[in-house]
Amino acid sequence: MMRRTILLCCLLFGLAFLGQAQNKNPQRFNVEEFRAKQKDYLTEKAGLTHEEAKVFFPVYFELQDKKAKIHEETWRKSDECERKEMTDHEYEEILKELANSRIACDKLDLEYIEQFKKIIPPKKIYLIQRAEIQFHRHMLKIMHGPQGRHPDKERAKRHR
């Protein structure tokens, strides 16, 4: 459950960041490019065949779109709350909505796992889920750029 929450946060952060980057500089990065890289990465890490990937990824991205829509609505409401004074009761309602959006996404995950099992074996589904976390970490490192890297770690990498 915790891993899914972390993965979901990374995914949403990545998509939000990409959306901002796309608006500011359309040639820098876009969602289609992100998804193409994600598809290549997950395909390699899970060992999907060309035919498996061809059938799997339209369903996979459908799931991602549904989850993004759920979170987009919840975060939009949450952003509105930051612009006004709120009561404890209103904060409780927002917290419930945030929790319910995670539950809705978890239910979607369970529903789509059943669909995925019709396309690829459970082991590959598991490998994809693990690779998703790795991919988002990898992309965050790339987006963060050299400024965020620890100098000692960079120096150690150069001397290997």
Side-chain angles (χ1 to χ4, degrees):
M1 179 72 173
M2 185 63 156
R3 278 189 154 183
R4 274 197 196 145
T5 302
I6 292 169
L7 171 63
L8 187 58
C9 289
C10 288
L11 174 65
L12 292 173
F13 175 75
L15 289 175
F17 183 82
L18 293 175
Q20 284 183 335
Q22 187 176 7
N23 290 340
K24 291 179 183 173
N25 185 355
Q27 294 178 343
R28 181 171 175 233
F29 209 81
N30 63 42
V31 175
E32 291 80 22
E33 185 178 336
F34 178 84
R35 284 190 168 182
K37 288 180 181 191
Q38 185 179 33
K39 180 180 174 182
D40 291 345
Y41 189 92
L42 298 178
T43 297
E44 178 188 334
K45 294 293 183 182
L48 297 180
T49 67
H50 177 72
E51 287 304 312
E52 287 172 330
K54 186 176 166 183
V55 178
F56 174 78
F57 281 103
V59 179
Y60 174 81
F61 289 129
E62 178 183 290
L63 168 63
Q64 299 308 313
D65 290 342
K66 286 181 179 181
K67 289 165 75 172
K69 187 175 181 178
I70 289 169
H71 284 286
E72 182 180 315
E73 178 64 22
T74 304
W75 284 108
R76 185 187 59 73
K77 289 178 184 177
S78 179
D79 287 344
E80 289 172 6
C81 294
E82 290 184 21
R83 293 185 217 121
K84 67 174 188 170
E85 284 293 318
M86 289 181 41
T87 65
D88 282 345
H89 176 73
E90 289 172 314
Y91 278 115
E92 283 181 36
E93 291 303 312
I94 289 296
L95 291 171
K96 286 178 188 175
E97 283 192 45
L98 290 170
N100 284 329
S101 70
R102 288 191 302 268
I103 291 167
C105 286
D106 285 344
K107 286 180 180 179
L108 277 174
D109 280 333
L110 288 172
E111 177 186 319
Y112 273 80
I113 284 172
E114 294 306 313
Q115 291 183 44
F116 294 159
K117 288 191 313 189
K118 296 174 184 172
I119 302 167
I120 59 175
K123 180 180 180 179
K124 288 186 179 184
I125 297 169
Y126 171 78
L127 292 172
I128 284 172
Q129 288 180 344
R130 287 195 47 161
E132 283 176 318
I133 295 167
Q134 295 167 348
F135 174 76
H136 290 290
R137 286 180 185 157
H138 172 74
M139 292 306 292
L140 287 172
K141 285 178 187 176
I142 289 172
M143 288 186 277
H144 201 271
Q147 318 80 313
R149 295 195 179 118
H150 192 280
D152 292 338
K153 288 182 181 178
E154 286 302 305
R155 203 174 305 117
K157 284 181 185 176
R158 284 192 296 259
H159 294 291
R160 285 184 190 170

